[in-house]
Amino acid sequence: MKNNPEIMLEYRRLSTPRTAAVAGILFGLKFGASLILMRSAIPAVISTDISWATTNAWRINAALVLMPLASIAYLWFIGVVRDKLGEFEDKFFSTVFFGSSLLFLAMVFVSTAIAGGILTTYTMVTGETPDYLVIIFGRALMLHISNVYALRMAGVTMISLGTIWLRTGLMPRWLAWVTYILAVALLVVINYSPWITLIFPAWVLLISLFILWFRLQHPDERILPSV
């Protein structure tokens, strides 16, 4: 069929908005706030005391509202990082980065959903003694999913991205080494303090601020000098 000049369509190549890095900033703030609310509401040490399910219910509810919004922003952050890599993206390391990021989000969703399930079922009990064994099991399951598995995937995300930056020179070398140091701290120190979890949203916030600053200062450049 011949092309009709009267109905010719104009096609344009999609491009990432310069302000897309704001998504990483939103993730860092929302995810950090959600973690603070959740960590301060639920005791770090597992015990038979389940009073937190009622006395701190408002904090958990606030965290449940923030977490999905933060996760959506994190997906945008992944897109911004991959866009910056462009044609320098390596299939191996990019697959590790992308896969570990998605696993991190999935396990965060599962852990948060368990918290929501505990809160919902506890408040539904009227005039009955709640089964604290079920609540303790749910709390232990949350702890293992978030601290043992989700944060390990976050550490893998950081290490793979730091390796990409070192090999391509797309980001300053000091930022890649800071990423390595924070990743090791996240993987090791989490066994001693659950608040170390805040390293990950702080790291995403730092990277996003740097990318946003660079794009506003150098709108026509993609590659940073390796320093």
Side-chain angles (χ1 to χ4, degrees):
M1 181 180 295
K2 296 182 179 180
N3 294 330
N4 188 344
E6 297 181 359
I7 58 173
M8 289 293 290
L9 299 177
E10 181 182 355
Y11 296 96
R12 293 177 296 176
R13 184 180 180 86
L14 287 174
S15 60
T16 304
R18 294 177 183 174
T19 56
V22 174
I25 299 175
L26 293 177
F27 166 79
L29 296 176
K30 292 180 180 180
F31 190 78
S34 180
L35 283 178
I36 292 174
L37 288 168
M38 193 72 76
R39 296 293 190 191
S40 61
I42 303 177
V45 179
I46 300 174
S47 66
T48 56
D49 182 15
I50 58 174
S51 60
W52 53 267
T54 53
T55 57
N56 298 328
W58 69 271
R59 297 182 188 178
I60 302 175
N61 280 320
L64 293 178
V65 173
L66 288 173
M67 191 62 76
L69 299 177
S71 299
I72 294 172
Y74 185 69
L75 288 175
W76 279 77
F77 170 75
I78 296 174
V80 170
V81 172
R82 295 193 66 189
D83 174 73
K84 186 168 182 59
L85 294 176
E87 63 273 13
F88 296 96
E89 187 176 37
D90 177 77
K91 292 182 179 179
F92 176 81
F93 288 106
S94 294
T95 300
V96 175
F97 164 71
F98 190 61
S100 59
S101 296
L102 293 184
L103 285 173
F104 165 75
L105 282 184
M107 286 183 281
V108 165
F109 275 144
V110 172
S111 179
T112 308
I114 294 174
I118 292 175
L119 199 63
T120 301
T121 54
Y122 189 87
T123 56
M124 289 177 61
V125 176
T126 304
E128 299 179 11
T129 302
D131 190 348
Y132 69 90
L133 291 178
V134 175
I135 296 178
I136 293 174
F137 172 77
R139 173 69 187 99
L141 189 60
M142 284 178 55
L143 185 66
H144 279 78
I145 292 176
S146 61
N147 289 1
V148 178
Y149 298 102
L151 288 183
R152 264 54 180 189
M153 288 299 99
V156 172
T157 297
M158 297 171 69
I159 291 174
S160 59
L161 198 54
T163 302
I164 292 174
W165 290 338
L166 279 178
R167 293 199 173 191
T168 60
L170 291 174
M171 296 287 272
R173 295 180 65 87
W174 67 264
L175 197 55
W177 287 114
V178 167
T179 298
Y180 277 129
I181 295 172
L182 292 179
V184 172
L186 188 66
L187 294 173
V188 176
V189 187
I190 187 59
N191 295 325
Y192 303 97
S193 175
W195 292 101
I196 298 299
T197 311
L198 292 172
I199 285 179
F200 188 67
W203 171 77
V204 174
L205 181 63
L206 172 64
I207 299 302
S208 300
L209 287 172
F210 187 86
I211 294 176
L212 182 61
W213 170 83
F214 180 79
R215 286 187 171 178
L216 292 177
Q217 295 294 321
H218 311 279
D220 298 326
E221 297 182 30
R222 289 182 58 88
I223 303 177
L224 288 171
S226 180
V227 294

